[in-house]
Amino acid sequence: QVQLVESGGGLVQAGDSLTLSCAASGRTFRHMQWFRQAPGKEREFVAVVVWPDGNTYYADSVKGRFTISRDDAKNTVYLQMNNLNTEDTAAYYCAAGVVPKKVTAADYWGQGTQVTVSS
């Protein structure tokens, strides 16, 4: 059974940093992503890390502020978020895909973790 379990969300102030974690189990993946969905908006892609080469890609809105990384020994992916602003407020979802090269396609989803940034 595939499981993606997020943790690390919370309430922070603008300018603060926060790190999200996603622990994966049940199978191996070709890539793992973070998406987010703000109230009243569609879910949007945030970042992805690809196996086995470790390449990463980011949405323009977070480039330079967010960093996605992985710990293969722990089967965990992280999203380090720096210089947060109120527009980053959203539910953040960990996802994973198995189709090579389709790095924004997700086959499995976590339950989400809420990030709220106050001004």
Side-chain angles (χ1 to χ4, degrees):
Q1 180 182 0
V2 174
Q3 281 192 314
L4 301 175
V5 180
E6 303 103 330
S7 61
L11 173 63
V12 297
Q13 292 188 330
D16 284 352
S17 298
L18 199 62
T19 300
L20 305 181
S21 301
C22 175
S25 61
R27 66 162 294 162
T28 57
F29 307 101
R30 295 304 297 262
H31 42 268
M32 290 187 68
Q33 309 106 325
W34 288 96
F35 291 79
R36 67 185 182 185
Q37 187 167 20
K41 295 187 177 181
E42 293 186 353
R43 189 174 297 186
E44 64 174 354
F45 165 79
V46 175
V48 61
V49 59
V50 181
W51 272 264
D53 50 19
N55 286 346
T56 58
Y57 305 94
Y58 299 91
D60 288 342
S61 59
V62 306
K63 201 172 294 183
R65 299 188 299 123
F66 290 13
T67 302
I68 189 170
S69 62
R70 71 192 202 200
D71 184 332
D72 291 344
K74 296 181 178 180
N75 291 326
T76 299
V77 171
Y78 304 95
L79 185 67
Q80 171 70 41
M81 305 183 292
N82 297 327
N83 194 23
L84 287 160
N85 59 60
T86 56
E87 294 184 350
D88 296 316
T89 294
Y92 284 71
Y93 296 89
C94 176
V98 300
V99 180
K101 300 185 179 180
K102 294 187 180 295
V103 297
T104 59
D107 300 290
Y108 302 94
W109 292 88
Q111 293 299 307
T113 186
Q114 180 67 34
V115 173
T116 303
V117 184
S118 64
S119 59

